[in-house]
């Protein structure tokens, strides 16, 4: 396994990590299989497991907490998040001081842990003063309940404002942003976010590096049994003929260079120097194993050019004088 430093911090995470969204603690993956996936990840050197309060409404945290009891807690980097509503209550959501403190306390109970390594603000909350949010997080850091914090889907302006707020109140800086990033979703990262993160010494840990399975090539010839297409209603709108066409091109290229499309897609996000980890999902132990092959893939300039020729989606940044 390769381990990468997270931003300017001293924390190191495995370049490939595992997340629990739509899978662990849900009805989609049986509990035993979910536990086997997390175990396979840890036993293959994955040290970073990404969860959120709202993944299966807390059951994702319970499942992960149960598995990691069999391992040394200090060997692992466990994250959680808050922002999305956890109930109908007006305060059970967002990035208010009230919700952040209560949410982290609830997450720790569900994990049955004393601390999480990284707490993510799951989105930007424009109803709450940033100073309120960063002070609440700073208090949790000082109490030892969270060790580091990060953001998720905060754009460059949000990140810049967040850092200005931490500086104004002398609070701990975020070390990491968690954006969606894969061969088919590049704009959010490549049109300004990278500059903001580099300026503030932050890394990215990126989600859906396989575009939820599309970049494994599994949908190239139809809908496979037991796939996310069948388990998640809105996935039907996420998958398009355009994406399938690109996945077919990436599949062919991967086979030409002796690898799998999944490994090539993950290796592609990992070649970005700001990426500390690719957060993969897996419904089977074999997915965890196959996705680790990304670490063996070398993306030479020639291969990279071939990838760009297939994708044809590099964002163009126009500069106006
Ligand atoms: N911060 C955020 O807002 C946010 C949002 C989304 C996700 N995330 C994080 O990112 C993690 C990963 O997201 P994701 O699940 O969308 O990632 P992904 O790696 O792009 O997709 C994972 C899914 O693709 C399929 N798959 C994976 N490897 C495969 C393989 N080798 N062969 C065939 N199929 C394979 C599996 O689904 P099927 O078997 O069901 O087809 C698996 O559940 C989440 O668990 C979460 O931690 C964060």
């Amino acid at each position: 396994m390769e381990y990468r430093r997270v931003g300017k911090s001293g924390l190191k995470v495995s370049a490939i990590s595992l997340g629990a969204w739509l899978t662990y603690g849900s009805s989609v993956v049986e509990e035993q299989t979910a536990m086997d996936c997390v175990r396979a990840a840890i036993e293959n050197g994955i040290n970073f497991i990404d969860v959120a309060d709202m993944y299966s409404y807390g059951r994702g945290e319970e499942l992960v907490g149960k598995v990691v009891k069999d391992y040394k807690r200090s060997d692992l980097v466990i994250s959680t998040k808050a922002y999305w509503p956890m109930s109908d209550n007006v305060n059970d959501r967002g990035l208010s001081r009230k919700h952040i403190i209560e949410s982290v306390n609830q997450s720790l109970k569900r994990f049955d842990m004393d601390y999480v390594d990284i707490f993510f603000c799951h989105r930007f909350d424009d109803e709450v003063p940033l100073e309120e949010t960063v002070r609440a997080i700073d208090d949790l850091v000082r109490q030892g309940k969270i060790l580091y914090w990060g953001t998720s889907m905060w754009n460059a302006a949000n990140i810049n404002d967040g850092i200005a707020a931490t500086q104004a109140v002398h609070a701990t800086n975020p070390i990491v942003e968690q954006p969606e990033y894969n061969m088919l979703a590049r704009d959010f990262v490549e049109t300004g976010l990278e500059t903001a993160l580099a300026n503030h010494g932050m890394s990215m840990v990126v989600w859906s590096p396989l575009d939820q399975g599309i970049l494994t090539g599994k949908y190239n010839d139809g809908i496979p049994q037991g796939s996310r297409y069948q388990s998640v209603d809105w996935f039907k709108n996420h998958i398009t003929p355009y994406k399938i066409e690109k996945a077919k091109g990436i599949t062919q290229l991967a086979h030409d260079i002796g690898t799998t499309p999944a490994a090539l897609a993950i290796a592609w996000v990992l070649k970005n120097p700001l990426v500390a980890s690719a957060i993969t999902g897996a419904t089977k132990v074999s997915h965890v194993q196959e996705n680790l092959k990304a670490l063996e893939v070398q993306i030479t300039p020639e291969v990279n050019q071939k990838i760009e020729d297939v994708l044809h989606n590099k964002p163009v940044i126009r500069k106006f004088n």
Side-chain angles (χ1 to χ4, degrees):
M1 179 54 70
E2 177 192 340
Y3 298 92
R4 297 186 178 186
R5 192 173 163 203
V6 185
K8 289 190 294 199
S9 82
L11 182 68
K12 288 188 179 148
V13 289
S14 48
I16 296 178
S17 45
L18 185 69
W21 180 54
L22 301 176
T23 51
Y24 312 145
S26 79
S27 57
V28 171
V29 184
E30 288 197 0
E31 180 168 314
Q32 189 56 51
T33 308
M35 293 177 74
D36 289 347
C37 287
V38 179
R39 282 203 183 95
I42 295 173
E43 281 159 24
N44 280 285
I46 288 180
N47 74 349
F48 173 30
I49 313 286
D50 182 65
V51 200
D53 57 346
M54 52 83 75
Y55 293 174
S56 305
Y57 287 100
R59 290 191 305 279
E61 292 175 326
E62 286 167 3
L63 186 290
V64 169
K66 189 170 164 183
V67 184
V68 305
K69 284 217 175 316
D70 294 341
Y71 299 89
K72 197 169 153 197
R73 172 67 185 88
S74 55
D75 285 350
L76 301 171
V77 177
I78 309 288
S79 66
T80 193
K81 317 186 184 79
Y83 169 83
W84 295 105
M86 286 294 283
S87 72
D88 291 339
N89 189 286
V90 286
N91 283 312
D92 203 8
R93 64 195 62 200
L95 299 182
S96 67
R97 178 176 186 82
K98 179 170 172 63
H99 185 55
I100 287 176
I101 305 274
E102 289 174 348
S103 177
V104 168
N105 283 327
Q106 289 302 315
S107 292
L108 292 178
K109 273 193 196 140
R110 287 188 292 255
F111 278 126
D112 194 18
M113 287 176 190
D114 300 329
Y115 66 92
V116 288
D117 297 272
I118 312 176
F119 168 76
F120 287 96
C121 295
H122 211 158
R123 288 295 180 269
F124 188 77
D125 187 343
D126 52 19
E127 286 190 354
V128 179
L130 272 165
E131 285 76 7
E132 175 177 336
T133 298
V134 302
R135 271 214 166 103
I137 293 172
D138 194 53
D139 286 346
L140 289 167
V141 171
R142 286 166 201 269
Q143 290 165 18
K145 291 183 176 177
I146 65 177
L147 305 190
Y148 302 91
W149 75 280
T151 58
S152 181
M153 299 302 289
W154 284 29
N155 64 28
N158 301 151
I159 298 278
N160 291 336
D161 291 348
I163 298 284
T166 60
Q167 287 171 352
V169 301
H170 306 290
T172 319
N173 282 338
I175 61 167
V176 60
E177 154 63 23
Q178 185 175 143
E180 180 183 22
Y181 190 45
N182 61 57
M183 287 174 165
L184 300 173
R186 304 174 63 170
D187 290 10
F188 185 77
V189 164
E190 293 184 25
T191 58
L193 180 66
E194 288 171 312
T195 311
L197 297 177
N199 286 343
H200 298 302
M202 292 171 69
S203 291
M204 295 185 269
V205 290
V206 304
W207 54 271
S208 296
L210 299 171
D211 197 16
Q212 305 196 41
I214 296 170
L215 287 164
T216 66
K218 70 193 294 176
Y219 297 103
N220 288 1
D221 303 310
I223 309 302
Q225 280 298 322
S227 57
R228 188 168 289 183
Y229 186 96
Q230 291 183 320
S231 59
V232 178
D233 272 353
W234 49 257
F235 192 75
K236 295 172 181 62
N237 298 323
H238 181 77
I239 190 165
T240 60
Y242 165 85
K243 289 184 173 185
I244 302 292
E245 184 204 316
K246 300 295 174 196
K248 284 183 180 169
I250 292 300
T251 304
Q252 183 60 55
L253 179 56
H255 292 160
D256 291 348
I257 64 167
T259 187
T260 67
L264 184 60
I266 295 169
W268 181 86
V269 299
L270 290 178
K271 81 174 173 44
N272 184 321
L274 286 172
V275 173
S277 190
I279 314 173
T280 59
T283 61
K284 297 184 174 74
V285 169
S286 61
H287 293 165
V288 177
Q289 287 158 345
E290 182 190 342
N291 297 342
L292 288 167
K293 291 189 187 141
L295 296 170
E296 294 157 20
V297 178
Q298 287 290 327
I299 301 196
T300 61
E302 294 73 34
V303 170
N304 195 44
Q305 189 53 54
K306 286 181 183 164
I307 293 171
E308 293 293 359
D309 291 345
V310 169
L311 296 178
H312 225 71
N313 63 357
K314 195 174 172 64
V316 178
I317 302 173
R318 293 195 171 78
K319 291 198 170 127
F320 299 101
N321 291 321

